[in-house]
Amino acid sequence: STPIFYANGPPHIGHLYSALLADALHRHRALRGAGPGRLSTGTDEHGLKIQQAAAAAGTSPPELCKRVSGLFRQALAQAAVSFTDFIRTSEPCHQQAVRHFWGALQDSGALYKGSYEGWYCTPEECFLPESQLAERRDAQGRLYKVSLETGHQVHWTKEENYMFRLSAFRDPLRKWLQDNPKAISPDPFYQRVLHWLEEDLPDLSVSRERSRLQWGIPVPSDSTQTIYVWVDALVNYLSVVGYPERHGEWWPAAHHVVGKDILKFHAIYWPALLMAAGLAPPERILVHSHWTVRGQKMSKSLGNVIDPLACMGQYTLDGFRYFLLRQGVPERDCDYYDEKVVKLVNSELADALGGLLNRSTALSINPSNTYPCFSESCFPKAWDHRQTNGMGRASAEDYELVASVASLPLQVANYFESFQIYKALECIALCVRHTNGFFQRHRPWKLDRKDPAEQLWLDTIIHVTLECLRVFGTLLQPVIPHTADKLLSRLAVEPEERDLSGLTFLPRYSGKPCPFEGRQLGPDTGVLFHRLEATRQCQKPRSSG
């Protein structure tokens, strides 16, 4: 699942990054043949912030949500995010799930009514303790308080609300994390949550006065209160799998992809609420950091919010997907600037991968336009590549290449499993570079095709290169689906031959038959990936929502 995105403004690259991480994991899982899977996303449509944004825009909350939700659905579809479920928290089935969940909390004795006062941050929709506040002065020199993390202003608020007994869940939460060290990844975020559980864990306000907040789900049996927006939003992960009747088929096999700013809600409040309602916590919470722009935080006031649709138009869909997933490191903030996108995508997709395909399928090198035969006499099986002198035509470096590409699928699978997609892409890029080195080293264009021995070696060079490309194309499907499809189609790899469970590399080297050998290549559709030109930055105008 992705987080459901707050419907008070259009999508930016932070939203897209969350969705692409989830999409790549979902696609990779499907290619492994790991059984049925779902990818859920959607929009979070209740709360004071939306009530205020609608008023400022001169529209009603339902109209604003309908428009913004449409923008998110469009952006995710354009980014080829393979979501199976798109949930809107304003939908009746979700509201019914929230009411049932509230009833389960009430029945367990986890709720009580109490007077609550504290510093409330409307943009974050939560109360903040003094330890998370800082003082600022306005233009007139008057002091006011802001959230230490976001800089948003807070206001002292006092009201009678329903409270959730969060303090009672410190030990169950600790036990859950100690028993499941992979529950939160990467590890620095797991450690952060353990640290939070050592600190004060006050009970949580889970409703607001209806007079302050009309745009939300009323508390069942108490029309003076509205259910707190975060409780409402978190339940989307249950309502999307059919809670309260059919969720058992899927829950708790949920992997939540979330930004670090909403870690506490997902790693402390949500598991505690689930335990109170008699349900298990999610299987995994996968946490990522933020994108800055040229070292600065993205903000509407700075006018540096990056528009994902403009970026996909400028850098192509696959180019932008590749950049975000190749450069995004979940445990630390990543910096965006246009020159970086152009340089990376041109170097790794256009030149290295595209150039390799172009050179190895060119009619001057491969006039028969086939997947040529592999010669075991030119490239004999070696148990130790350091002892290959005098054997065949292959060098020690060639044996190293074969070993590194053979181990690549497992390496990539392990990196996907440990939520390090960027490392998987780094390994693939390195192997692409080494394959280019192999092709360059043996200069197949210099070999004499009329000499039978030279022809055997020429065919072997091309066979090994195409086998490497087939592995790269198969492994890149979750990240750059269109480019990978184009590459595999050029190599005449059929749709049913593209899964990861059946992926074998260079079977002829091990004396086994290769189904591609002698096969006619697919049609030449031209350049695999066109080089990008550097142009202006993909920023939203300041006036946009």
Side-chain angles (χ1 to χ4, degrees), residues 44-332:
D44 177 5
E45 302 187 3
H46 292 133
L48 196 55
K49 206 161 38 165
I50 284 170
Q51 196 170 295
Q52 292 173 348
T59 185
S60 67
E63 281 303 311
L64 176 74
C65 290
K66 185 180 175 186
R67 182 177 67 79
V68 175
S69 183
L71 292 176
F72 273 97
R73 188 185 270 272
Q74 177 196 357
L76 296 178
Q78 277 187 249
V81 175
S82 55
F83 58 88
T84 57
D85 300 270
F86 188 98
I87 189 163
R88 298 181 58 194
T89 58
S90 57
E91 291 167 342
C93 61
H94 171 74
Q95 298 189 21
Q96 185 188 337
V98 173
R99 285 192 290 269
H100 192 278
F101 189 79
W102 184 274
L105 295 177
Q106 210 149 28
D107 292 347
S108 72
L111 302 180
Y112 64 93
K113 208 164 187 184
S115 182
Y116 193 87
E117 55 184 314
W119 294 102
Y120 192 77
C121 179
T122 298
E124 293 167 59
E125 299 276 13
C126 64
F127 285 95
L128 294 172
E130 285 282 353
S131 60
Q132 289 176 28
L133 301 177
E135 285 193 334
R136 299 277 185 271
R137 288 192 184 274
D138 65 16
Q140 285 73 46
R142 290 180 299 229
L143 282 171
Y144 65 97
K145 288 186 186 282
V146 297
S147 161
L148 207 50
E149 192 174 333
T150 64
H152 293 133
Q153 189 170 356
V154 296
H155 301 280
W156 187 259
T157 307
K158 181 178 181 180
E159 53 187 56
E160 192 175 40
N161 294 333
Y162 285 92
M163 306 293 292
F164 171 65
R165 298 183 197 277
L166 182 63
S167 53
F169 288 88
R170 186 195 303 273
D171 288 340
L173 287 169
R174 241 191 235 139
K175 184 173 184 335
W176 163 59
L177 288 176
Q178 282 158 358
D179 291 349
N180 299 279
K182 293 252 164 65
I184 300 167
S185 297
D187 187 64
F189 296 114
Y190 174 80
Q191 299 301 336
R192 187 181 299 182
V193 175
L194 284 177
H195 177 71
W196 283 336
L197 290 171
E198 297 302 315
E199 294 178 345
D200 192 25
L201 204 64
D203 288 351
L204 187 66
S205 169
V206 287
S207 71
R208 305 292 319 271
E209 286 178 357
R210 193 82 183 154
S211 57
R212 290 176 189 267
L213 176 61
Q214 298 84 45
W215 182 239
I217 302 171
V219 167
S221 75
D222 187 348
S223 58
T224 67
Q225 297 275 315
T226 301
I227 295 173
Y228 179 46
V229 64
W230 265 100
V231 177
D232 166 2
L234 286 164
V235 176
N236 98 83
Y237 301 125
L238 288 175
S239 59
V240 83
V241 291
Y243 180 83
E245 285 91 26
R246 302 183 315 280
H247 61 284
E249 195 183 328
W250 293 92
W251 196 265
H255 291 192
H256 298 326
V257 174
V258 300
K260 65 179 182 180
D261 54 319
I262 51 176
L263 176 58
K264 187 174 275 186
F265 293 99
H266 283 83
I268 291 183
Y269 302 165
W270 179 223
L273 288 163
L274 285 162
M275 289 173 185
L279 293 164
E283 207 168 87
R284 292 190 76 186
I285 300 166
L286 306 167
V287 191
H288 66 80
S289 298
H290 294 156
W291 282 88
T292 56
V293 179
R294 296 185 185 275
Q296 288 188 300
K297 189 176 174 181
M298 264 192 291
S299 80
K300 292 177 203 167
S301 56
L302 287 173
N304 67 347
V305 177
I306 300 297
D307 178 357
L309 292 179
C311 288
M312 286 187 274
Q314 190 167 309
Y315 305 126
T316 75
L317 163 60
D318 278 357
F320 199 53
R321 282 178 65 108
Y322 186 79
F323 170 77
L324 289 179
L325 293 171
R326 171 80 166 88
Q327 287 288 298
V329 178
E331 49 266 59
R332 62 174 183 264

